[in-house]
Amino acid sequence: AYADEAKVDLAKDKVGSPAEMLDMAQYCGTKDIKVAMADGYGANSWRKITRAVFEAEAKKCPNIKEVRYTDAQGNVQKAISDIQGLVAQKFDVILVFPDGGEAVVRAMRQATSAGAVVIPYMVGANFPGVRGKDFEMVVSESVEANGRVKAQWIADHLNGKGNVIVLGGTPGNPTSQAESVGWKEVFAKYPDIKVLDYQAADWDTTKANEIMASYLTTYGDEIKGVFCANDTMAYGAIEALRAEGLAGKIPVVAYDGGAQAIEYILKDELLVTCYTDPYWGGGIALSLAHAASTGKYKPSDEPQEHREFYGPTLIVTKADAQAFFDKHHKSHPEYNWGDYFGPTNGQIKYNRY
């Protein structure tokens, strides 16, 4: 849970207080570069925060001559075209949230071959492609572990017995695919838990609401739990449950740790949400790519745990929701962008399937 964060020493060899943290301006270098973020779907709050941090930190470096953001809006062909366009315009750094999954890897390979530093971020352990060929490195939370934790909360809440609905993101999205590894693993341990159905709600509140309303019509009181791949879909599912007087009676789990999700947790309408810090995600991906592009850091000389690694993750419950909100929404943690690996949770562990 969030309260356990203080008990975990993620950087035991580091010293100093938050006041001594060093910002991006101290790592800029002198080489002129252009940086870009190619987002597969930029509509939810997590993506918006990541974008804001990326743009704010990039602007601190006078040698970054252009900062570009593209949003494919869930369209895989547009995502590919966006990356190809950035290559044609000779961007030196391209951070990619590849919602199109494997379909986007070829475009990333072309960008890498053209000399750009390409880093896909927050994609889980099983994202396809070859480090050093298709992209430089991977920065990700353990999405599979997040799926396991959320599923375990449902299983425990149901005492190991009941039917569950699963709402996923856009088809092919690596986050949804990675989470499915986790929830399938957990639910398989409980013979009395059955997944009634899975549907892609495309990260969309309205679509999730419509799907959930349809499920309630079809399955009625057979539904005992709802697993959502992100917060915005959980909002739609909760609205459908409210309409039937069931909000708070059926456990719903989510992913992102948005401010509205915290409100729902405090109202007992959302059981838990999983939070992967978008401030760290946007900032550290830019910092690593910038250092590689300017020659301050050479990924090929680093051990594997420094080329693909897990970022910090928290599970937020009612017990710590207010404290989490105060720290991560009223303000946000400070990070030393020159400390690339201090807050990480180790090398990505693979579970090929």
Side-chain angles (χ1 to χ4, degrees), residues 316-345:
V316 187
T317 71
K318 186 174 182 181
D320 39 52
Q322 189 60 57
F324 170 86
F325 182 85
D326 292 343
K327 180 174 180 179
H328 291 272
H329 288 288
K330 285 187 176 180
S331 61
H332 64 82
E334 296 293 334
Y335 290 112
N336 178 350
W337 300 121
D339 178 14
Y340 304 133
F341 310 110
T344 67
N345 287 327

Side-chain angles (χ1 to χ4, degrees), residues 23-45:
D23 71 16
M24 190 72 74
Q26 300 193 38
Y27 301 95
C28 294
T30 57
K31 178 184 175 183
D32 289 351
I33 61 171
K34 298 162 63 176
V35 304
M37 175 178 281
D39 202 340
Y41 176 86
N44 67 39
S45 60

Side-chain angles (χ1 to χ4, degrees), residues 138-343:
V138 174
V139 177
S140 181
E141 79 275 27
S142 178
V143 185
E144 296 82 1
N146 297 345
R148 285 192 290 271
V149 169
K150 288 162 57 181
Q152 191 63 57
W153 272 87
I154 286 181
D156 291 346
H157 195 83
L158 298 180
N159 295 315
K161 185 175 182 178
N163 298 318
V164 178
I165 293 296
V166 178
L167 298 179
T170 49
N173 177 273
T175 304
S176 283
Q177 290 180 340
E179 268 214 323
S180 71
V181 173
W183 62 255
K184 287 177 181 178
E185 179 183 308
V186 170
F187 291 151
K189 297 177 181 178
Y190 296 90
D192 292 326
I193 289 182
K194 177 184 177 182
V195 176
L196 290 173
D197 197 18
Y198 168 96
Q199 280 200 48
D202 300 343
W203 312 120
D204 185 72
T205 299
T206 300
K207 187 168 183 178
N209 177 266
E210 293 170 351
I211 292 172
M212 191 67 216
S214 176
Y215 280 148
L216 289 169
T217 299
T218 302
Y219 296 110
D221 59 8
E222 292 181 55
I223 300 172
K224 303 301 181 184
V226 183
F227 183 106
C228 297
N230 81 335
D231 286 350
T232 53
M233 292 187 294
Y235 304 156
I238 289 169
E239 288 298 329
L241 292 170
R242 281 178 180 168
E244 299 296 326
L246 296 172
K249 298 178 181 178
I250 294 177
V252 180
V253 296
Y255 188 143
D256 280 342
Q260 189 174 348
I262 305 309
E263 293 177 13
Y264 285 174
I265 288 174
L266 292 170
K267 292 178 181 178
D268 290 318
E269 294 180 322
L270 182 65
L271 184 62
V272 298
T273 184
C274 194
Y275 178 78
T276 53
D277 191 346
Y279 292 97
W280 183 84
I284 203 64
L286 171 63
S287 183
L288 281 163
H290 175 274
S293 180
T294 57
K296 297 181 68 175
Y297 170 79
K298 191 175 181 181
S300 59
D301 290 344
E302 293 290 322
Q304 195 68 6
E305 62 267 24
H306 285 179
R307 300 196 72 180
E308 43 187 11
F309 50 84
Y310 291 131
T313 301
L314 305 172
I315 192 79
V316 187
T317 71
K318 186 174 182 181
D320 39 52
Q322 189 60 57
F324 170 86
F325 182 85
D326 292 343
K327 180 174 180 179
H328 291 272
H329 288 288
K330 285 187 176 180
S331 61
H332 64 82
E334 296 293 334
Y335 290 112
N336 178 350
W337 300 121
D339 178 14
Y340 304 133
F341 310 110

Side-chain angles (χ1 to χ4, degrees), residues 38-39 70-72 77-87 89:
D39 202 340
T70 64
D71 180 4
Q77 290 305 313
K78 186 177 186 306
I80 294 170
S81 177
D82 286 345
I83 295 170
Q84 292 172 336
L86 294 169
V87 173
Q89 295 171 68

Side-chain angles (χ1 to χ4, degrees), residues 26-82:
Q26 300 193 38
Y27 301 95
C28 294
T30 57
K31 178 184 175 183
D32 289 351
I33 61 171
K34 298 162 63 176
V35 304
M37 175 178 281
D39 202 340
Y41 176 86
N44 67 39
S45 60
W46 194 97
R47 306 288 185 97
K48 290 176 181 177
I49 293 171
T50 305
R51 174 189 177 181
V53 174
F54 165 78
E55 292 176 337
E57 295 298 322
K59 289 176 181 177
K60 294 178 180 179
C61 291
N63 63 312
I64 295 181
K65 299 303 181 182
E66 185 173 352
V67 181
R68 181 77 60 84
Y69 173 83
T70 64
D71 180 4
Q73 301 174 344
N75 184 312
V76 176
Q77 290 305 313
K78 186 177 186 306
I80 294 170
S81 177
D82 286 345

